[in-house]
Amino acid sequence: MTPSLEAPNQPYVSVKTDELDVEVGNVVNGMAHGFLFERVDPPRKTPARPGEEIKAQYAISNALGRKVITCRLVTLTRGGTENKKVMCRVGGGWLELQMYILNRQAGMS
């Protein structure tokens, strides 16, 4: 079986009480890829307190293997508008989840 660039058969179903999981679902379901995403850590049951770091581990799988990555939710406020980004740990730094998926599809990470 060869890896596919098409969307997986099942969309990622996020846990609505977990803000990070909802944002991961938005990113993963918003683009075509051939990966299966699974949350490794249990989901949050309560909302995060202001200033609390929200992070969890996710497994990304395809026909060639499985990789576990750490994701965190970053909220940027500019001009009174909040933008949420899902960042994932890559090497010694952080990369947006969408860019990580694109790089992984291209075989770069």
Side-chain angles (χ1 to χ4, degrees):
M1 183 170 155
T2 58
S4 169
L5 296 179
E6 298 174 11
N9 294 338
Q10 298 178 24
Y12 182 79
V13 179
S14 58
V15 176
K16 300 301 178 201
T17 58
D18 190 314
E19 197 175 357
L20 171 61
D21 209 45
V22 169
E23 291 300 321
V24 167
N26 291 341
V27 171
V28 170
N29 294 332
M31 60 187 299
H33 56 80
F35 300 109
L36 172 67
F37 283 79
E38 303 170 89
R39 185 164 174 140
V40 176
D41 293 335
R44 294 181 64 94
K45 295 180 180 162
T46 59
R49 295 183 306 273
E52 181 181 2
E53 183 177 50
I54 304 171
K55 67 180 182 177
Q57 289 191 322
Y58 288 83
I60 302 175
S61 308
N62 67 5
L64 301 176
R66 180 177 193 254
K67 185 166 185 164
V68 176
I69 60 169
T70 299
C71 293
R72 73 175 179 178
L73 185 64
V74 176
T75 303
L76 305 171
T77 305
R78 291 188 186 143
T81 305
E82 278 191 358
N83 291 320
K84 295 179 183 181
K85 294 191 180 280
V86 178
M87 307 296 286
C88 61
R89 188 77 172 166
V90 179
W94 293 89
L95 185 65
E96 283 186 52
L97 179 59
Q98 185 173 4
M99 292 305 299
Y100 178 79
I101 294 169
L102 292 172
N103 288 345
R104 189 138 171 94
Q105 273 183 187
M108 295 169 55
S109 61

